[in-house]
Amino acid sequence: MSVIRSIIFYIGYLMAMLVCGVLFLPPAPLLPLRSRYRLLNLYNHFIIAWFRIACGVRYEIRGRERLPDGPCVLLSNHQCEWETVYLQLLKPPVCTVLKKELLNIPIFGWGLRLLHPIALDRSKPARAMKQVLTQGKTRLEEGLSVLIFPEGTRVEPGQRRRYNKSGAVIACRAGKPVVPVAHNAGERWPGRHWVKHPGRLTLVVGEPIETVGRSPEEVLAETEAWIEAQLAEISEVPRPRDDSAEAGARETAAS
């Protein structure tokens, strides 16, 4: 049944992309940035709704009321494509940090280019880091929120990857809050397989983490601890042990 549901979903997915490419992309460059977001995000709204209908997914979204009024840095775990679509709708307009190869995808990538993302060449990490810090601060000053996946790439449910501090650095330099986000979308929309799975998809928005007068390392540690605690609660796949944290606790106890 999941296979049939997934085939139906992808038929609607491709049709939506084609329709949006024909109807929305041509006028989008003529619009102001915020109007452009509203127009192109109609595609995101459809995909989120269609995924729920076609694949039998139940959404549980917690904490949207915690989002601050002004721009912020959204730091989320990254498991699949779903969160890249949904998080564009969470606090628009939002500038996403992504790999530049995505901009070359027909229709989808063309739309991304119009939303002023921060597109990185991951083969040049030093240059990419400088680009994130410079452009991220600029986007925040322009009134856009910035979305960063601190793990840097998709991480399958039940696995863990070291968090990058670039998002925390941007927030601290700009004096803007970090909003942590945790979800289990990869359990419903696998990142490495096309078959989708019915069930509950939970996304939790945390309280804004203030950055003024704090170091990026401190902000990142608080963000990561919150996300991991939420994942342990909402995930059906068991979370791995944090060996580094345990080692640190042992060293503290020994001293």
Side-chain angles (χ1 to χ4, degrees), residues 137-156:
K137 186 172 183 292
T138 300
R139 297 292 193 274
L140 288 169
E141 292 171 347
E142 293 172 347
L144 278 70
S145 292
V146 175
L147 168 62
I148 297 181
F149 299 107
E151 294 159 306
T153 189
R154 295 177 184 177
V155 179
E156 294 186 10

Side-chain angles (χ1 to χ4, degrees), residues 37 88 93-97 115-118 139 144-148:
Y37 268 93
Q88 293 290 327
V94 58
C95 163
T96 305
V97 177
L115 299 179
H116 290 194
I118 301 175
R139 297 292 193 274
L144 278 70
S145 292
V146 175
L147 168 62
I148 297 181

Side-chain angles (χ1 to χ4, degrees), residues 76-81 83-84 149 151 153-155 183:
S76 170
N77 64 303
H78 192 16
Q79 294 184 349
C80 63
E81 186 180 346
E83 64 269 16
T84 66
F149 299 107
E151 294 159 306
T153 189
R154 295 177 184 177
V155 179
H183 62 83

Side-chain angles (χ1 to χ4, degrees), residues 33-253:
L33 184 60
R34 292 179 184 273
S35 299
R36 194 182 304 169
Y37 268 93
R38 285 194 291 270
L39 176 64
L40 295 180
N41 274 348
L42 292 175
Y43 166 81
N44 298 55
H45 282 289
F46 174 80
I47 294 301
I48 295 301
W50 182 237
F51 180 54
R52 174 178 58 82
I53 295 168
C55 297
V57 175
R58 305 185 308 277
Y59 293 141
E60 181 180 359
I61 309 297
R62 309 177 193 164
R64 290 197 63 165
E65 70 281 357
R66 298 169 182 158
L67 290 167
D69 293 331
C72 62
V73 177
L74 297 164
L75 295 184
S76 170
N77 64 303
H78 192 16
Q79 294 184 349
C80 63
E81 186 180 346
W82 183 88
E83 64 269 16
T84 66
V85 176
Y86 179 79
L87 291 176
Q88 293 290 327
L89 307 175
L90 189 63
K91 192 175 178 12
V94 58
C95 163
T96 305
V97 177
L98 45 78
K99 56 185 179 181
K100 70 174 187 178
E101 291 82 1
L102 292 176
L103 302 182
N104 298 325
I105 299 175
I107 302 178
F108 178 78
W110 303 341
L112 281 178
R113 286 179 183 272
L114 297 174
L115 299 179
H116 290 194
I118 301 175
L120 305 179
D121 183 352
R122 296 196 296 184
S123 67
K124 300 176 181 178
R127 181 179 177 182
M129 174 62 77
K130 183 177 180 180
Q131 182 183 353
V132 169
L133 298 181
T134 302
Q135 295 185 14
K137 186 172 183 292
T138 300
R139 297 292 193 274
L140 288 169
E141 292 171 347
E142 293 172 347
L144 278 70
S145 292
V146 175
L147 168 62
I148 297 181
F149 299 107
E151 294 159 306
T153 189
R154 295 177 184 177
V155 179
E156 294 186 10
Q159 297 185 11
R160 191 164 180 173
R161 184 182 176 93
R162 181 180 179 182
Y163 281 37
N164 185 288
K165 69 177 183 180
S166 59
V169 173
I170 293 170
C172 288
R173 288 187 177 183
K176 303 297 184 182
V178 163
V179 176
V181 178
H183 62 83
N184 67 335
E187 296 172 7
R188 308 278 77 84
W189 182 321
R192 301 182 185 278
H193 199 280
W194 67 275
V195 176
K196 311 296 184 266
H197 304 298
R200 185 175 63 185
L201 191 162
T202 303
L203 181 140
V204 188
V205 179
E207 294 286 351
I209 297 173
E210 292 302 324
T211 60
V212 177
R214 305 180 69 188
S215 69
E217 291 78 11
E218 182 183 359
V219 171
L220 181 64
E222 182 177 345
T223 301
E224 182 174 3
W226 185 90
I227 291 176
E228 287 299 324
Q230 294 300 314
L231 289 176
E233 176 187 337
I234 67 178
S235 299
E236 296 174 6
V237 179
R239 299 297 298 164
R241 291 188 312 172
D242 184 0
D243 294 331
S244 61
E246 292 183 4
R250 288 195 297 269
E251 291 177 3
T252 301

